Amino acid sequence: MTTHEQDAKTLELPWPFTGRADELDQVRRSLAAGRPGIVVTGPAGRGKTRLLTEAVRGTDRARVTGTPETRELRFAAFAHLLPDTVSLHRALHLLSGVRLLVVDDAHLLDDASAALVHQLAVHGRTRLAVAATDGGRAPGAVSRLWTGDLLPRLALEPLSAEATAHLLGPAGLEPLTVSRLHRVCRGDLRLLRDLLQALRRSGGLVRLPGGDDWAWRGPVPVTAAVRDRLAAALDRTDAGEREALDRLALAEPLPLPLDDLAPDARALAVLERLEADGLIRVDDRGAVTLTHPLHGPALRATAGRLRTRRLAHRAPERWRPALHAEQAVLQSRLARHDVRAVATPVGDWLLHEGLPVPGGYAVIRARYARLRGELREAAAWAREGLRAAPGDAECRGESDLAAGQSGEASGSGVWAAAARGDLAAALDAITGDDVLARYDAVRLGAPERVLGRLPDGGPFARHAEALARQDGLALDRAAEALERRGFLLFAAEARAQAVRAHRDPRAARLSRTRAVALARRCQGARTPALDGLVLGELTARQRQIVALAAAGLSNREIAERLTLSVRTVGNHLYGAYARLGASDRGALPCLTDLPETKPA
């Protein structure tokens, strides 16, 4: 395989702002006239600074930043705004004309600066946009901003898998690599950038045979950012705790029994401390694993050969029975028509180590992903199975199904015909007495073919009955049941069918918005039920303006770019909101991620 020689421009900063539409709207509303402001908190690297930067773009504001080096210097953060010697009262007076103040790294402010920020919040004439990192020793005046109810607090959640995939889109990575990066980084965007750049520099990304995508197989590169994250976790551990962590790391992907790790009270006390610090997890059966997905690879990479030899538990092929057990769990879920997310550490480890993935396991992973609507991941797992077993008919079949439901018309079968727009041929191609094969008729809009032939009372039967009656409310309820079981693509299709069934325009708009939000999570799904769902209903000018608004541009910026008046831009957006079922621009990134499709 070829090592990665990707154009560095795909990794240039700043990365596009994505996946924070709701949070961006919340911050902007908190900074509107008459509002006091907001505090955004979260771990380092989660994107707090970028969120505030986007929220205040184009506004008149002042900015201050806390730093570790100046924590002992009075008013150090405000040095560019205040004279050298000033009292708190005088500083408050001098800043009274500042209408918006952005405070970055507030947990690192010196005490005088923290007190000044607190007083600005108390007096209420200055709106505050404050970012503070969790886990640090923040000055009391800073923490009282939210604990004293002076400002609302937004605790920033990790970036979603979908948003991470969108962010990494320009890098040309295959879906399984994107998923691995998302799991390892856990929403730390600095770490994500650092790892991706290290992989590119080191040749850790390889071109997959027969495609344009790049894949990451092998160990985590031990970069400075990785060492920093590891040090932050291990700083409070002693020698006994570190040895327990190393033993767990060298046993992965399998857990270690609690009895093996804690043969006496002293060893048990070590594990209790690690569990209290959130570094290990103990399940109901007494199996112990590391909590953070980065720690195992990082600890293994830094253990050294002698330590690895002394502590390692993994024997050749020790993982194989566990892989079979994992496959059995997935098959059992499939048999019960329940595809909610389930942990798959053994198969993931096998893939990440670059070892051959058995065809039987790969086809189950592909099928599970496809039924969850993760079509690109399904195709990737099918490819992994075909690498190990090139003639595997089931892997080839899963690959074709994922391609057809992504709108690729090549080949034969139900979904290839549907992708070509030949629904009659697609319906005629449905064969077999399998429940999911029969259910394809419902997804293709012909529920009458299978009424009474789907499991009574189940979500598939409820979907068929509601569609046959053209009952929009019942279709929405069927979609909810499908979503609860993990069938996101099926739920999106039921919502899209409800749009056409509703008599109430408001109900139709709500179903459309929910259909789009679900379909966005289905990795490029293009099925007949989703056709014409989104941007095909807008005028050319509305599509142009909506795309710019979804990218984060203000009405004024759009007007300047398109040589329109601000009022005209606002009118076009208002009309687009009505057609898309959106309440404001915060929903637009979800709606515009779907490709434009022709009406059904």
Side-chain angles (χ1 to χ4, degrees):
M1 287 190 272
T2 308
T3 57
H4 188 245
E5 297 293 343
Q6 186 179 336
D7 185 346
K9 288 184 178 180
T10 61
L11 302 178
E12 282 182 353
L13 298 180
W15 280 3
F17 181 77
T18 187
R20 299 289 192 196
D22 291 342
E23 294 92 336
L24 183 62
D25 183 58
Q26 182 177 342
V27 173
R28 283 176 171 165
R29 283 188 279 108
S30 298
L31 298 177
R35 301 289 182 88
I38 194 168
V39 178
V40 180
T41 63
R46 188 154 289 181
K48 303 180 294 297
T49 300
R50 183 65 184 277
L51 175 62
L52 292 185
T53 299
E54 294 296 326
V56 303
R57 190 181 298 279
T59 64
D60 184 21
R61 75 275 185 188
R63 188 181 195 98
V64 300
T65 303
T67 63
E69 297 80 12
T70 60
R71 291 192 72 163
E72 305 305 320
L73 301 178
R74 183 176 172 79
F75 291 125
F78 287 88
H80 60 298
L81 299 175
L82 297 173
D84 290 342
T85 303
V86 66
S87 67
L88 177 60
H89 178 76
R90 178 62 176 161
L92 188 62
H93 175 73
L94 290 172
L95 294 176
S96 60
V98 175
R99 290 287 158 251
L100 175 58
L101 177 66
V102 179
V103 185
D104 199 9
D105 285 338
H107 58 291
L108 297 177
L109 290 176
D110 59 276
D111 289 339
S113 294
L116 178 53
V117 170
H118 186 270
Q119 286 302 303
L120 288 168
V122 169
H123 284 261
R125 290 190 294 270
T126 300
R127 297 190 300 278
L128 297 169
V130 181
T133 296
D134 291 337
R137 184 182 62 81
V142 168
S143 60
R144 286 197 297 274
L145 290 173
W146 64 87
T147 59
D149 295 328
L150 287 171
L151 298 178
R153 178 187 186 188
L154 170 60
L156 209 55
E157 296 294 325
L159 202 64
S160 69
E162 295 79 27
T164 302
H166 184 267
L167 187 68
L168 294 175
L173 304 176
E174 55 104 28
L176 300 179
T177 293
V178 172
S179 295
R180 183 183 184 188
L181 283 165
H182 174 71
R183 283 196 298 270
V184 166
C185 295
R186 276 195 166 183
D188 187 330
L189 300 182
R190 294 177 190 170
L191 179 59
L192 179 67
R193 183 180 66 224
D194 184 72
L195 281 180
L196 190 52
Q197 290 174 335
L199 289 168
R200 182 175 62 85
R201 288 193 301 266
S202 68
L205 295 176
V206 295
R207 178 82 79 178
L208 290 176
D212 296 328
D213 291 342
W214 300 92
W216 172 26
R217 303 289 187 264
V220 171
V222 184
T223 65
V226 170
R227 281 193 291 269
D228 288 345
R229 300 304 181 276
L230 193 60
L234 300 181
D235 272 350
R236 299 186 302 274
T237 59
D238 59 26
E241 292 164 348
R242 174 62 188 268
E243 176 132 334
L245 293 173
D246 281 345
R247 289 185 64 193
L248 287 167
L250 293 165
E252 285 186 341
L254 306 183
L256 287 179
L258 180 61
D259 291 343
D260 288 358
L261 279 167
D264 53 42
R266 182 178 176 184
L268 182 59
V270 166
L271 295 182
E272 287 175 354
R273 292 196 298 272
L274 292 173
E275 185 181 30
D277 287 340
L279 294 175
I280 66 170
R281 182 187 301 113
V282 184
D283 68 16
D284 294 338
R285 298 185 302 275
V288 187
T289 55
L290 294 169
T291 301
H292 198 294
L294 174 66
H295 291 166
L299 287 167
R300 287 195 295 275
T302 57
R305 289 186 179 181
L306 294 178
R307 189 173 182 83
T308 297
R309 188 170 184 176
R310 178 170 66 86
L311 298 177
H313 286 253
R314 189 183 303 121
E317 301 289 298
R318 179 172 171 263
W319 49 266
R320 195 169 291 278
L323 185 72
H324 291 159
E326 195 168 276
Q327 181 175 334
V329 170
L330 294 172
Q331 288 173 312
S332 174
R333 288 288 197 95
L334 289 169
R336 299 197 307 269
H337 299 136
D338 179 355
V339 292
R340 286 172 291 182
V342 62
T344 51
V346 185
D348 294 340
W349 171 84
L350 199 65
L351 177 80
H352 300 159
E353 291 294 310
L355 299 173
V357 179
Y361 179 84
V363 75
I364 295 299
R365 286 297 298 267
R367 187 169 302 149
Y368 205 88
R370 174 174 57 82
L371 293 175
R372 285 177 51 79
E374 297 164 347
L375 298 184
R376 295 191 187 109
E377 288 204 23
W381 277 109
R383 283 195 300 270
E384 289 299 318
L386 289 169
R387 285 178 57 199
D392 193 301
E394 287 190 284
C395 284
R396 176 60 59 195
E398 286 298 328
S399 178
D400 291 345
L401 285 169
Q405 292 175 52
S406 299
E408 296 180 21
S410 59
S412 59
V414 175
W415 292 101
R420 291 193 294 270
D422 191 346
L423 294 187
L427 289 167
D428 289 342
I430 295 175
T431 57
D433 205 35
D434 176 73
V435 169
L436 290 169
R438 293 198 295 269
Y439 181 62
D440 280 345
V442 183
R443 299 177 62 198
L444 293 170
E448 65 282 353
R449 294 195 174 204
V450 292
L451 286 175
R453 299 175 58 206
L454 295 168
D456 287 340
F460 302 149
R462 291 165 61 186
H463 184 182
E465 292 158 5
L467 184 59
R469 297 195 309 269
Q470 283 295 291
D471 186 334
L473 290 176
L475 280 166
D476 285 334
R477 289 194 292 270
E480 290 170 0
L482 289 163
E483 185 178 356
R484 282 195 297 271
R485 290 193 178 212
F487 295 106
L488 300 188
L489 177 53
F490 300 169
E493 291 171 332
R495 292 282 190 189
Q497 291 165 341
V499 173
R500 303 176 181 98
H502 277 302
R503 304 294 182 265
D504 180 353
R506 290 173 297 180
R509 287 195 295 269
L510 181 60
S511 293
R512 179 186 290 112
T513 299
R514 290 176 174 170
V516 170
L518 286 165
R520 180 176 176 264
R521 299 165 63 186
C522 294
Q523 301 182 352
R526 296 281 297 275
T527 66
L530 300 179
D531 274 359
L533 186 62
V534 199
L535 294 185
E537 301 186 5
L538 302 184
T539 67
R541 179 62 87 182
Q542 283 174 332
R543 287 197 295 271
Q544 188 179 29
I545 291 173
V546 163
L548 293 172
L553 274 68
S554 68
N555 286 13
R556 183 170 298 281
E557 290 169 327
I558 296 170
E560 291 172 354
R561 179 172 296 193
L562 301 181
T563 321
L564 299 171
S565 71
V566 176
R567 176 174 292 183
T568 298
V569 170
N571 288 339
H572 278 303
L573 280 175
Y574 181 81
Y577 294 156
R579 293 192 182 197
L580 296 175
S583 58
D584 55 37
R585 71 199 306 122
L588 294 181
C590 294
L591 298 174
T592 56
D593 255 15
L594 281 180
E596 185 181 338
T597 58
K598 60 182 183 302

